[in-house]
Amino acid sequence: MIVGKIPINLQSVKGLVRLLLRWIYKVNVTGINNYHNAGERVLIIANHTSLIDVLLLAAFLPDKVTFALNARTFDKSFLRALLSLVDTFALEPTDPLSAKALIRLLQEGRKVVLFPEGRVTVTGSLMKIYDHVGMIADHAGAAILPIRIDGAQLTPFSKLKYGAAKRWFPAIKLFILPPERLEIPAALKGRARRAYPSRHLADTMTKMMFQTSHYESTLFDALIDAQAIYGPKHIVVEDVQWRPLTYRQVITRSLAIGKALAAITDHKEYVGVLLPNVATTVVVFMGLQAHGRVPAMLNYTAGGNGMAAACRTAQLKKVVTSRKFIETAELQSEVEILARQSQVIYLEDVGEGISRGDKLRALLGSYVPRRTYRRHNGGVSPSDPAVVLFTSGSEGTPKGVVLSHANLLANRAQLTSRVDFNADDVILNAMPLFHSFGLTGGTLLPLLSGMKAFFYPSPLHYRVVPEVAYEVNATILFGTNTFLAGYAKNAHPYDFYSIRYVFAGAEKLQDETRRLWVDRFGVRIFEGYGATETSPVLAFNTPMENQPGSVGRFLPDISSHLESVPGVAEGGKLHVKGPNVMLGYLMHDKPGQIVPPRSDQGEGWYDTGDIVTIDEDGFVTLVGRLKRFAKIGGEMVSLTAVEELIYRAWPEQRHAVVAIADSQRGEQLILVTEHSQPERSVLLQQARKDLVNEINVPKKILSVPALPLMGTGKTDYPGIAALVQKELGA
């Protein structure tokens, strides 16, 4: 029923309120034409950021609208005066009659505003979307008009759990997106048909949050934006030196070191960075950004020849490193090789050249960071290269991957549209910055979102990393299956007491690792999937959308296509396109030249080379890389699936399967395992139990003390293949 009456002088009241809100919050409305194009029967869905959301929408939407609010809202006396100014509908989510009444109201041609979350957010991100909202949209046959409210969550009228970002007069924006119709595929029946409207509405809200985010920017601009939101004294970076850095300190030091490096490099030059996971690396990275240089992150585990090859591919004339790091990591011989290719610049020497006057100018510049950045960056745009990363080479020759500012910021916005990261979070980042996972997830995500990032130099310290997590009260952890399994086996049961989320990527998450974390620490691991070429995340599981065994659902604005592969019955080869897909490759045979992505689907599409399946709910499951299929007796066998079979039989050890040529059957499978006494009969028994064809069971087994790993935590398959060739003479 309608519980409020619109006063006769509504327009004058609206005009006064609108004028007041514009004066206080500088309210800006974009997309008003979308509102007019929606028609008469419209369900307006908006994110719920604060107690003044109703006031904002009532003042700035041009027509008479009805607000469908949870019935409990009307019990709050301080809201009654506000609600008396607008048409309202008391919605009881658990009462079918209430929903039917609202459907009738929409069918009469009314415009109704509904907050699908049902409550004001306490995280700053989307809360859960109630199923009844999708049902109402389905049965009413109304156009759906998404509206994003941004900025009100920073006012004292919000219910955010953290107060670092709150202030009295933040700018507020209302984004009105194009209207859409709920079209349910005719093939869906039963539960799938009933679930579709709710999932579609949740996807619409998520897409809305992403599309209205400001990712068409540069990394240093985004850093300045973050300081404006969270405050210059907000701590964002810390490492094992235990000297935390605030936003102002990060910007000041970046301006100082960036100016010194700019004096010996050219504008938009690719500059090699050979540094560990420490705060200084972040400062160097952002310093190069501030002065229009492009950091190329070198993988110090690739060896001297590997790094020199990367320098040739990216035409790196200079590499920035540290004597202390080189000595500690014992990389002297590698640097000698590297120095034959590029000039090695030591930060210790650069630091000595920074005068007190330079430091003072950097400090003064940090008080007007936008003006200072504009003066020094040389006109860098969001579509320009921001970083060069190098592929691990696990399946071939490493390539340089060029990611733009917009690529990286889009991926960060895609992540925050799905998960409630907030300024109280502490991310423990032991993943190296030369790895896209460590750069985007472990560094840029916290740095640009008000979270503190604690950097630890090595993910291989299985006993130390859990202790550090305990010491810094880490709430979020990123890692590979290998690293996470190592932490779980060595940690005290209370080391991860403060952890909210653990995200796994880069390699298949084993069931044993997932179970171990739940049993020992009560923490779920959310598996994701991506590639360096996609900045890197394409899909991941979340607290609200989690299907163990899958890698989650695609992030907003990612298009996908499955290409059928002869001989592969399950799934297809994945092609993707989206704002997070790279600018292109730097190739060995075309050094310095960016080769844009292209697949059979056309320009801008990236062929992942992965075989995946996608179920009716949109969850993606990895079958394996196409290059990791073997053809045995005319049948295509996934080496990844074979490894999963072995892990089910021997979950406590690590295993890898490679294929070698076989004169009779085309190829044969070789198992390399850390199991000290492996017996093929155990694997055959597991295969019979799982109803798996015996063709999936390796006939030859090699036992080794430890499988070789790459610096990124992935299994070193080229190294294992070389080991097999040496042992078997294959």
Side-chain angles (χ1 to χ4, degrees), residues 73 148 166 201 587:
T73 304
R148 162 89 184 273
K166 285 190 177 182
L201 205 64
M587 313 289 283

PDB file of all heavy atoms in Angstrom, residues 73 148 166 201 587:
ATOM      1  N   THR A  73      11.893  -0.094   7.408  1.00  0.00           N
ATOM      2  CA  THR A  73      12.386   1.270   7.280  1.00  0.00           C
ATOM      3  C   THR A  73      11.444   2.267   7.931  1.00  0.00           C
ATOM      4  O   THR A  73      11.856   3.271   8.506  1.00  0.00           O
ATOM      5  CB  THR A  73      12.572   1.625   5.793  1.00  0.00           C
ATOM      6  OG1 THR A  73      13.443   0.666   5.183  1.00  0.00           O
ATOM      7  CG2 THR A  73      13.166   3.014   5.623  1.00  0.00           C
ATOM      8  N   ARG A 148      23.512   4.190 -10.577  1.00  0.00           N
ATOM      9  CA  ARG A 148      24.625   4.084  -9.635  1.00  0.00           C
ATOM     10  C   ARG A 148      24.727   5.371  -8.829  1.00  0.00           C
ATOM     11  O   ARG A 148      24.794   6.468  -9.379  1.00  0.00           O
ATOM     12  CB  ARG A 148      25.938   3.847 -10.393  1.00  0.00           C
ATOM     13  CG  ARG A 148      27.217   4.155  -9.566  1.00  0.00           C
ATOM     14  CD  ARG A 148      27.691   2.973  -8.798  1.00  0.00           C
ATOM     15  NE  ARG A 148      28.831   3.256  -7.941  1.00  0.00           N
ATOM     16  CZ  ARG A 148      30.119   3.203  -8.303  1.00  0.00           C
ATOM     17  NH1 ARG A 148      30.448   2.931  -9.551  1.00  0.00           N
ATOM     18  NH2 ARG A 148      31.080   3.425  -7.433  1.00  0.00           N
ATOM     19  N   LYS A 166      35.523   8.732   5.341  1.00  0.00           N
ATOM     20  CA  LYS A 166      34.336   9.554   5.544  1.00  0.00           C
ATOM     21  C   LYS A 166      34.695  11.036   5.669  1.00  0.00           C
ATOM     22  O   LYS A 166      35.682  11.396   6.296  1.00  0.00           O
ATOM     23  CB  LYS A 166      33.578   9.092   6.785  1.00  0.00           C
ATOM     24  CG  LYS A 166      32.808   7.797   6.595  1.00  0.00           C
ATOM     25  CD  LYS A 166      31.896   7.524   7.767  1.00  0.00           C
ATOM     26  CE  LYS A 166      31.082   6.264   7.545  1.00  0.00           C
ATOM     27  NZ  LYS A 166      30.149   6.003   8.651  1.00  0.00           N
ATOM     28  N   LEU A 201      19.878  -9.901 -12.609  1.00  0.00           N
ATOM     29  CA  LEU A 201      19.824  -8.616 -11.921  1.00  0.00           C
ATOM     30  C   LEU A 201      21.127  -8.350 -11.174  1.00  0.00           C
ATOM     31  O   LEU A 201      21.647  -7.224 -11.172  1.00  0.00           O
ATOM     32  CB  LEU A 201      18.644  -8.597 -10.947  1.00  0.00           C
ATOM     33  CG  LEU A 201      18.081  -7.224 -10.600  1.00  0.00           C
ATOM     34  CD1 LEU A 201      17.498  -6.561 -11.842  1.00  0.00           C
ATOM     35  CD2 LEU A 201      17.003  -7.348  -9.545  1.00  0.00           C
ATOM     36  N   MET A 587      57.692  -9.150 -29.189  1.00  0.00           N
ATOM     37  CA  MET A 587      58.188 -10.453 -29.619  1.00  0.00           C
ATOM     38  C   MET A 587      59.701 -10.406 -29.860  1.00  0.00           C
ATOM     39  O   MET A 587      60.259  -9.360 -30.197  1.00  0.00           O
ATOM     40  CB  MET A 587      57.488 -10.890 -30.910  1.00  0.00           C
ATOM     41  CG  MET A 587      55.979 -10.711 -30.890  1.00  0.00           C
ATOM     42  SD  MET A 587      55.129 -11.864 -29.808  1.00  0.00           S
ATOM     43  CE  MET A 587      55.177 -13.345 -30.815  1.00  0.00           C
TER      44      MET A 587
END
